[in-house]
Amino acid sequence: MKTLLFAFFGIAQLLIKAQNGFTTYTSSMHVSGPVIRTTSMLVDNSGNKWIGLNIPASTNVALAKYDNTNWTYYSTSSTPAMPSNNVTALAKDNSGNIWIGTNVGLVKFTGTNFVTFDVTDGLPSNTVTCIETVGSMVYIGTASGLSRFDGLNFTNYNMANGKLPSDLITSVKAENANLIWLGGNSRLVKFNINSAFTVTSYNDNPIAPAVGKINCIYIDAQNKKWLGTTTVGVLIYSGLAFVNAGDVYPMFGGGVSNAVYDICEGLNNGVATKMIKNALGITSVGIIELAPNNKVYQYFYPSSNILGDYIEKDGLNLAVTQVQTTMPTLMFYEFDKTNYAPQLGDVNNNNFKTLDINNVNAGIANRGDMHWDIGGYSGYQIAAGIYNNVERYEVPKGSGRHSNLTSALWIGGLDNANQLHGAAQTYRQTGNDFWPGPLDTISGGTTSAVAINYDKIWKVNYTDINDFITNFNSGNVQNNTYTPGEDLVTWPAKGTGNYSRNLAPFVDVNGNGIYDPLTGGDYPKIKGDEALYYIFNDNMTHSNSSCNAMGIEVQAMAYAYGCPGVLNGKPELSYTTFYDYKIINRSADNYHNVYVGMWSEVDIGYYDDDYIGCNVSGNYGYGYNADNNDQSSGAFIGYANYPPAQGFAIVKGPLAVSADGMDNDNDGIIDEVGEECKLNKFTVFSNNYAGTLPPTTDPQTCTEYQGYLTGKWRDGTNFTCGGNAYGGTVTTNWVYPGDPVNSTSTDPANTCGYWTEISAGNTPNDRRLILGSGPFNINAGQMQEVEYAFVTSFDSSSTTNGNILSVGKLKNDIARINEFYNHPGKQQCSFDVGIKQTAKPDIFLVYPNPAKSVITVKSSREGDGKTDYEVVDILGELILKNESNETNFTVNISDLTSGIYFLRLKVNNSFIVKKFVKE
């Protein structure tokens, strides 16, 4: 049956509102029924926006068109009339027709009339689920198979005629005229058809485990298929396997919804869809684009619960539908990225990154806290025990198991008037105490503009640096044939105005005192083989601790070792992450009796069965499982029969007050030169469970935060020996200092004797610990530094007493970490091939390149002189070393494996680096 109707356009007033790149286009027409579902969106060849709706209770709109000036509405009661108020899909063809899927058939809108095709015309079903046009063909998906319409006839493909593995078609996308991709229920079908449309075949690709319906398919320039699913977000299919986009792209603060209905071309050569926060009850907060090189772009809408499920590329912009909920008026949103600016406060991929070069995957934020999904969950939900994969300290990496839930920096001290100042970060349930960016060196203040500019973490590893050095030395940076990473180029080495000229450390290759990587070859100077650098301060209202601000600037570097050459023989390094904090007092106040601490909620796999302890002489605290089996529960994946111990070691402490008469570093020596404050306090508090003593729960005031740093409970009483450390008679600086491996005390003074959570008979629970270092002074303009190593230790030698065996392994591992840390010549992969060239590169000619067995070195230098040469591999490992007294000589490389190498040549005090390839 074909129905022909003549066109009549209704025009409604337009209301426009712009917010940070998002422009809202709202009509004045009220929808008479609730918007049950926005079902589709289309931008046609003329730039008109079409929105399909399903409003059974309404008769005034089923299809809306916005021509960039006016709105036009179509429904069963409009003129011309739609055949149904249930629009299921929209598509366009090259002739300007709009194809509309409905529950009563396929509808073609020519611009002046609607034409309806149904089962009487050859459709397999009147309920159309999806439409795709390619050339002159229209492909229609239904629950009864696929249909192809050539303008005159329908040809159907289904299970009954052997053309398809399933009749349910939920999405359809043409790669070309002869290759059509079909989405179904947990399957992707590759449908092949010849150019004469007489022969077809298919490849069935079931997806396991089940992912629900494939709601949409997008094909990018590399022919990768991006699938929007009902239950697992976006899947990527390159022809071999289905990979979840969440496993490929880092997404923090906002990510892809579990239910994805539409994907389109992005604004940065990637693919775009609606972005949501992962928190419970929070939806539709913006647009996310997954771009090449694992780059993620996030555009946050100013408020939540607004943006809908359907998104379309619209020239240089993106158009997005409204959220699927009751709305008084119809609207859509246009996003222009040139008018978008990141907002301070949004957690995103710029200010939350992962340290992941070794066997740990640690999430780091730039405001003093780390190891938990800050953007995904509110502090209230964490405090209330509502968790869902919120941990971000995964070890071993890729296992889905985590040994730490969250950690953060605390600090507090007294000014000259003995007024308490401090800053502490926890779960952000009441706010923050830290702000991104440095402080003015004159006023000690900052601005929102500076904070936004530094609301970032810079991530660099040794491969980034060595690749840059090699390409700069080869001239590839200067001639634009090599593009360094953004974080290397924008490394925050120098402040402007009154801000410090000494921020992120760097190697000043050309010695001009400025950071100019693209012209001078400068590069970041990092600790370890991968580093995350960020700057934060406390010069703001402290909504977490309620303390007076100290006016401190913290220059932080989280780092780890992952180079194979460094890890060789040092497996403990592969399970260790380091955190270095340079704390600078930018205020006019001198502070005394200052303590700095690392607070941590220890969750060894499952969170509710842990104990804690400390090793005083070793200057570390730790958490361990209370029994031999760490069970799984809900979203928490336990470590089963081999639970690790998680250690928190102070490898560098702030300088102690000279001649204070105390053994601040617990080495048995008082007042040695350069003595550091290390594990001076080790305290604990509990989650606010029913029945827990209120003085032993989470701090609420500045005095209580400082109390936990200095050895006092919330009610001001001292921590005491025995039991749960509350209400005893003997004051202690350290709770649970007993060594459960050999039943001795690690406290040199043996204040409490042998005391562990096991010996005290404590009930395992959810533990929070604090490592406090102090007291020390930090006067106006001064800097103090503290550094921690987080070490995870496994002992799989036995399932009997395995939890205690891990504590013993941790003791040995931390001793080795300290030995490595304090070694003046500790190995590092970074910069091994990064020798500053002082000779002209054309002095030496190296050929052939590539080479199989021998390379020849020819020098144009004048005079005699010995040439020292070394061959190193891409990781900076020394392969061979020799010297030659000849101007021209050969180097035997026959024993080298195929790959890229560097030849380092030195004559007198001049040297260059040449890259060559061994075939």
Side-chain angles (χ1 to χ4, degrees):
M1 177 182 68
K2 300 178 178 65
T3 305
L4 302 181
L5 294 172
F6 295 98
F8 176 81
F9 293 91
I11 298 175
Q13 182 182 356
L14 173 69
L15 302 176
I16 302 175
K17 180 181 179 182
Q19 285 183 286
N20 195 25
F22 289 88
T23 301
T24 306
Y25 292 86
T26 306
S27 74
S28 61
M29 183 178 187
H30 286 251
V31 179
S32 62
V35 177
I36 304 288
R37 179 164 160 74
T38 302
T39 61
S40 48
M41 188 179 196
L42 173 71
V43 177
D44 69 17
N45 300 333
S46 300
N48 302 310
K49 286 75 176 174
W50 297 81
I51 300 172
L53 303 166
N54 174 13
I55 315 175
S58 174
T59 58
N60 63 342
V61 60
L63 178 66
K65 172 188 174 183
Y66 177 61
D67 66 3
N68 300 308
T69 302
N70 299 305
W71 286 89
T72 305
Y73 306 95
Y74 304 96
S75 70
T76 54
S77 59
S78 66
T79 303
M82 287 281 293
S84 169
N85 278 349
N86 184 349
V87 172
T88 59
L90 292 172
K92 62 184 178 181
D93 64 25
N94 292 331
S95 299
N97 300 307
I98 304 299
W99 295 88
I100 307 160
T102 73
N103 62 342
V104 297
L106 174 69
V107 178
K108 176 183 178 181
F109 183 56
T110 64
T112 57
N113 58 70
F114 293 99
V115 182
T116 301
F117 305 89
D118 59 20
V119 292
T120 64
D121 301 299
L123 266 179
S125 169
N126 281 345
T127 301
V128 174
T129 57
C130 50
I131 309 172
E132 171 74 325
T133 64
V134 53
S136 60
M137 299 294 161
V138 181
Y139 289 89
I140 307 100
T142 75
S144 300
L146 177 70
S147 188
R148 177 175 57 85
F149 183 53
D150 62 7
L152 296 174
N153 300 301
F154 290 90
T155 305
N156 298 324
Y157 310 92
N158 50 47
M159 292 181 67
N161 59 28
K163 304 297 185 180
L164 289 178
S166 171
D167 285 339
L168 177 62
I169 310 298
T170 57
S171 53
V172 55
K173 189 69 175 179
E175 184 170 330
N176 53 57
N178 307 114
L179 180 55
I180 312 298
W181 293 88
L182 308 174
N185 193 3
S186 296
R187 70 181 346 117
L188 180 68
V189 177
K190 181 180 180 181
F191 183 75
N192 308 281
I193 190 166
N194 67 352
S195 57
F197 304 103
T198 56
V199 178
T200 67
S201 64
Y202 68 83
N203 301 92
D204 188 21
N205 299 283
I207 306 172
V211 298
K213 293 179 181 178
I214 306 301
N215 298 312
C216 58
I217 304 170
Y218 177 83
I219 303 175
D220 67 15
Q222 289 74 44
N223 279 330
K224 288 189 296 184
K225 284 70 188 176
W226 299 74
L227 314 178
T229 74
T230 303
T231 59
V232 297
V234 172
L235 295 179
I236 306 170
Y237 181 68
S238 58
L240 296 176
F242 296 92
V243 179
N244 196 289
D247 295 330
V248 178
Y249 288 86
M251 291 181 256
F252 301 108
V256 174
S257 170
N258 287 338
V260 174
Y261 292 93
D262 203 8
I263 302 171
C264 76
E265 179 186 355
L267 304 177
N268 305 280
N269 299 315
V271 300
T273 189
K274 183 181 77 172
M275 177 175 64
I276 68 164
K277 287 188 176 180
N278 297 322
L280 300 177
I282 304 297
T283 59
S284 57
V285 296
I287 298 169
I288 187 167
E289 179 176 352
L290 309 180
N293 300 319
N294 288 355
K295 180 68 176 178
V296 177
Y297 296 87
Q298 297 163 304
Y299 306 107
F300 289 81
Y301 189 79
S303 60
S304 61
N305 299 313
I306 294 295
L307 302 184
D309 290 317
Y310 294 89
I311 182 169
E312 286 285 302
K313 183 77 176 295
D314 183 22
L316 299 178
N317 299 335
L318 295 173
V320 190
T321 59
Q322 71 192 86
V323 73
Q324 297 174 20
T325 187
T326 300
M327 289 294 228
T329 54
L330 182 65
M331 63 185 68
F332 75 93
Y333 310 89
E334 187 88 357
F335 175 70
D336 175 5
K337 74 172 186 177
T338 62
N339 291 322
Y340 178 81
Q343 301 300 294
L344 200 58
D346 288 336
V347 178
N348 55 53
N349 276 25
N350 285 325
N351 58 31
F352 189 100
K353 295 186 179 181
T354 56
L355 187 64
D356 53 9
I357 196 170
N358 58 18
N359 224 352
V360 180
N361 189 358
I364 312 294
N366 69 341
R367 300 192 189 184
D369 50 347
M370 53 193 178
H371 302 164
W372 67 295
D373 190 358
I374 296 162
Y377 282 79
S378 69
Y380 169 78
Q381 291 164 335
I382 293 296
I386 302 173
Y387 304 96
N388 186 11
N389 296 325
V390 69
E391 313 97 316
R392 287 293 179 265
Y393 197 83
E394 184 188 35
V395 54
K397 182 172 62 179
S399 68
R401 295 172 172 86
H402 302 78
S403 61
N404 185 228
L405 173 63
T406 181
S407 301
L409 190 72
W410 290 11
I411 188 170
L414 303 176
D415 63 18
N416 289 337
N418 289 319
Q419 296 297 307
L420 179 61
H421 297 248
Q425 205 75 323
T426 54
Y427 307 106
R428 305 194 185 191
Q429 68 265 46
T430 59
N432 302 280
D433 279 11
F434 290 116
W435 203 249
L439 294 175
D440 189 298
T441 58
I442 305 301
S443 68
T446 189
T447 66
S448 294
V450 171
I452 291 173
N453 189 47
Y454 284 90
D455 193 12
K456 181 175 178 177
I457 293 177
W458 286 261
K459 180 178 180 178
V460 176
N461 63 39
Y462 73 94
T463 302
D464 301 328
I465 294 172
N466 287 338
D467 284 351
F468 169 76
I469 293 169
T470 300
N471 281 279
F472 188 87
N473 289 342
S474 301
N476 297 332
V477 175
Q478 299 89 322
N479 64 23
N480 295 318
T481 59
Y482 172 81
T483 303
E486 177 183 345
D487 286 357
L488 187 148
V489 173
T490 63
W491 189 252
K494 301 285 185 178
T496 59
N498 291 334
Y499 295 89
S500 175
R501 296 301 185 271
N502 297 302
L503 296 175
F506 70 99
V507 176
D508 190 3
V509 173
N510 58 4
N512 64 356
I514 62 174
Y515 185 68
D516 51 356
L518 299 182
T519 57
D522 298 348
Y523 54 87
K525 184 177 182 180
I526 66 172
K527 291 188 171 187
D529 296 325
E530 179 178 76
L532 277 61
Y533 185 85
Y534 48 106
I535 305 171
F536 58 97
N537 68 81
D538 85 320
N539 195 7
M540 61 178 292
T541 299
H542 289 191
S543 50
N544 184 61
S545 70
S546 301
C547 290
N548 296 316
M550 294 185 73
I552 57 170
E553 173 185 311
V554 183
Q555 299 176 5
M557 185 178 289
Y559 66 96
Y561 293 88
C563 166
V566 175
L567 297 181
N568 184 31
K570 296 179 279 292
E572 64 279 354
L573 274 178
S574 186
Y575 292 88
T576 300
T577 55
F578 295 86
Y579 307 91
D580 178 45
Y581 302 96
K582 292 181 174 64
I583 303 168
I584 306 165
N585 181 5
R586 298 292 191 201
S587 77
D589 292 318
N590 297 326
Y591 295 111
H592 64 277
N593 204 35
V594 180
Y595 280 79
V596 65
M598 177 58 67
W599 163 83
S600 185
E601 177 168 349
V602 183
D603 285 352
I604 309 295
Y606 176 55
Y607 70 96
D608 210 24
D609 62 348
D610 296 333
Y611 281 153
I612 66 163
C614 72
N615 188 304
V616 179
S617 58
N619 291 300
Y620 66 90
Y622 58 92
Y624 60 106
N625 213 63
D627 55 32
N628 296 325
N629 180 46
D630 182 42
Q631 70 266 37
S632 297
S633 178
F636 287 89
I637 303 176
Y639 284 95
N641 293 327
Y642 300 104
Q646 176 67 63
F648 310 87
I650 305 170
V651 294
K652 182 179 181 58
L655 290 176
V657 178
S658 60
D660 62 0
M662 294 188 292
D663 179 16
N664 294 285
D665 54 5
N666 303 309
D667 63 354
I669 303 173
I670 296 175
D671 292 341
E672 67 261 42
V673 176
E675 186 177 26
E676 298 173 359
C677 295
K678 289 197 172 178
L679 189 65
N680 306 119
K681 306 288 182 181
F682 183 74
T683 58
V684 63
F685 61 88
S686 300
N687 200 342
N688 195 14
Y689 290 130
T692 305
L693 291 172
T696 66
T697 58
D698 299 81
Q700 303 296 320
T701 67
C702 184
T703 301
E704 292 173 0
Y705 276 94
Q706 188 70 1
Y708 279 128
L709 271 176
T710 58
K712 295 184 182 297
W713 292 103
R714 288 182 62 191
D715 59 6
T717 62
N718 293 317
F719 278 76
T720 55
C721 297
N724 67 352
Y726 181 79
T729 57
V730 179
T731 299
T732 182
N733 292 321
W734 308 282
V735 299
Y736 313 122
D739 186 340
V741 178
N742 55 25
S743 300
T744 60
S745 177
T746 66
D747 175 10
N750 198 26
T751 306
C752 299
Y754 177 64
W755 174 37
T756 67
E757 291 221 66
I758 298 173
S759 69
N762 291 348
T763 301
N765 214 309
D766 188 16
R767 299 292 194 257
R768 290 118 160 106
L769 60 82
I770 306 100
L771 293 80
S773 300
F776 60 90
N777 299 332
I778 181 168
N779 293 331
Q782 287 186 338
M783 186 269 286
Q784 288 276 18
E785 186 175 7
V786 62
E787 190 165 352
Y788 304 93
F790 282 35
V791 185
T792 311
S793 297
F794 296 83
D795 190 315
S796 58
S797 61
S798 174
T799 57
T800 302
N801 215 31
N803 57 330
I804 305 303
L805 291 175
S806 293
V807 174
K809 177 70 161 46
L810 178 69
K811 183 177 181 179
N812 293 330
D813 287 347
I814 288 181
R816 289 168 60 89
I817 291 295
N818 275 295
E819 180 182 3
F820 173 83
Y821 179 85
N822 292 311
H823 194 284
K826 56 179 174 283
Q827 194 176 1
Q828 185 178 15
C829 267
S830 303
F831 328 132
D832 280 354
V833 298
I835 299 177
K836 177 181 173 183
Q837 284 193 187
T838 58
K840 293 181 179 180
D842 57 358
I843 288 179
F844 289 97
L845 178 64
V846 175
Y847 64 94
N849 192 5
K852 293 183 178 179
S853 58
V854 174
I855 57 174
T856 298
V857 180
K858 184 176 181 180
S859 173
S860 62
R861 71 181 191 276
E862 297 179 357
D864 298 328
K866 180 182 69 174
T867 299
D868 295 306
Y869 65 88
E870 296 176 342
V871 174
V872 297
D873 65 15
I874 192 66
L875 296 178
E877 291 294 299
L878 181 64
I879 305 301
L880 63 89
K881 182 177 183 180
N882 211 330
E883 62 183 42
S884 175
N885 291 316
E886 302 295 328
T887 302
N888 303 325
F889 58 94
T890 60
V891 179
N892 188 343
I893 60 169
S894 58
D895 292 334
L896 273 61
T897 58
S898 299
I900 298 173
Y901 294 85
F902 299 90
L903 180 66
R904 304 195 291 200
L905 301 152
K906 181 179 179 183
V907 179
N908 299 322
N909 292 321
S910 297
F911 48 83
I912 66 166
V913 178
K914 291 285 188 177
K915 181 172 74 172
F916 69 92
V917 176
K918 168 65 164 61
E919 292 183 326

